[in-house]
C-alpha cells in the first residue's frame, strides 16, 4: 500500500513524503540538509502508519 507520510518532530518536522510504501518495516533514514548524519523516522507502535516520528540520528 502506498500513501503520503508526514514526518513529526526532529529536524524535518512537518515534511510530507509522497507515495511511500507501507509494508512490514516502514520508516526511513533521512538526509538532513547541512548535516553529516541522517534522521531516523518510523511510525510508533499503535500510531497512524502514515505518521512517522523522529527517533534520533544515525551516522
Amino acid at each position: 500500500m502506498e500513501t503520503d507520510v508526514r514526518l513529526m518532530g526532529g529536524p524535518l518536522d512537518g515534511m510530507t513524503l509522497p507515495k511511500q510504501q507501507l509494508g512490514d518495516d516502514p520508516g526511513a533514514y533521512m538526509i538532513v540538509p547541512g548535516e553529516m548524519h541522517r534522521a531516523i523516522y518510523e511510525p510508533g507502535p499503535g500510531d497512524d502508519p502514515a505518521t512517522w516520528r523522529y527517533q534520533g540520528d544515525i551516522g
Side-chain angles (χ1 to χ4, degrees):
M1 176 172 98
E2 284 187 348
T3 190
D4 292 350
V5 169
R6 182 166 182 218
L7 304 181
M8 299 290 289
L12 303 175
D13 183 49
M15 182 179 202
T16 298
L17 303 176
K19 297 186 180 180
Q20 295 300 301
Q21 186 67 34
L22 300 181
D24 294 336
D25 190 21
Y29 293 163
M30 300 292 296
I31 295 172
V32 178
E35 300 290 334
M36 296 298 294
H37 63 271
R38 293 175 187 243
I40 303 167
Y41 284 89
E42 300 173 334
D47 281 352
D48 176 0
T51 300
W52 295 355
R53 298 189 183 279
Y54 178 66
Q55 304 297 317
D57 299 322
I58 190 166

